Amino acid sequence: MITAAALALALLLQTAPGACPVSAGHVVANGGLDRSRAAVAAGRLTILAMGSSSIEGVGASRPGLGFVPLLEAGLEQRLPGVEVTVINKGIGGETAKETADRLAAETAAARPDLVIWQLGTNDILRDRPMDDVFADFRRGEAVLDQAGVEVLLIDPQRLPQNTSNPAFRGRNPALAEMARLIELEGGRVGYAVLRRFAAMSDWTGLERGGVGPDDLHLNDEGYACWAGITAEGLAASLR
């Protein structure tokens, strides 16, 4: 059955395929998806999505066009016969500390095969020291490892270079450094990583580069591209 979210994703990606190159190469598995592959082989995959406003779906014109429903639809398209459930537990404004604080309760409730942890953007925008961010990350890592779940880390988004918001101006170098460190940590602990910051550099043909008028939250095209590259890369790693 084709869901409304799946149809919306297909239509959005067809509007500007050159402006949103969907490639599996943005996901690096780091050898950490064996349990999720077994779940796919058994016909049912449960994913818990944690993070801040871009997981929650802030900026989408309607709930079905946010990242989580589009990812679920995209994975079901690419993994025929597999029942995919993506549980949205994003909370706008969260830092790595606040997400780490609730990982234990959310994983216990959802019992997922895979946890998506989107982190880094709000930490940079709030000028949190990198040492503090990665101390929170390692605290969350201990919780996730104890729960026996696999993890896909999603690094920060890219902000518009020409933003008029002084709080966002000049932040991309720090966001890029956060993305680099997240990828290193993923390799160190064997967590899969989605390189969102790097992927967004290819979205120049999208309206506002996939970012809405507030220069922070993604618009419908941005969510469609992000969900498309995540579904493509994750499905390729799980087949």
Side-chain angles (χ1 to χ4, degrees), residues 29-55:
N30 286 324
L33 295 172
D34 290 342
R35 172 175 173 165
S36 299
R37 288 189 195 96
V40 166
R44 179 175 296 179
L45 176 68
T46 300
I47 299 172
L48 171 65
M50 299 283 291
S52 57
S53 57
S54 58
I55 293 292

Side-chain angles (χ1 to χ4, degrees), residues 67 88 123 156-157 178 215:
F67 171 71
N88 189 340
D123 298 279
Q157 68 185 78
M178 176 67 79
D215 285 347

Side-chain angles (χ1 to χ4, degrees), residues 8-24 26 70 78 196 198-207 209-210 218-232:
L9 174 61
L11 290 174
L12 281 167
L13 293 181
Q14 287 169 10
T15 60
C20 178
V22 176
S23 163
H26 295 296
L70 293 181
R78 291 166 173 82
R196 177 169 61 154
M200 288 183 71
S201 66
D202 294 332
W203 298 0
T204 54
L206 297 184
E207 181 185 0
L218 299 185
N219 57 27
D220 288 349
E221 288 185 344
Y223 277 120
C225 286
W226 179 25
I229 63 172
T230 307
E232 185 77 7

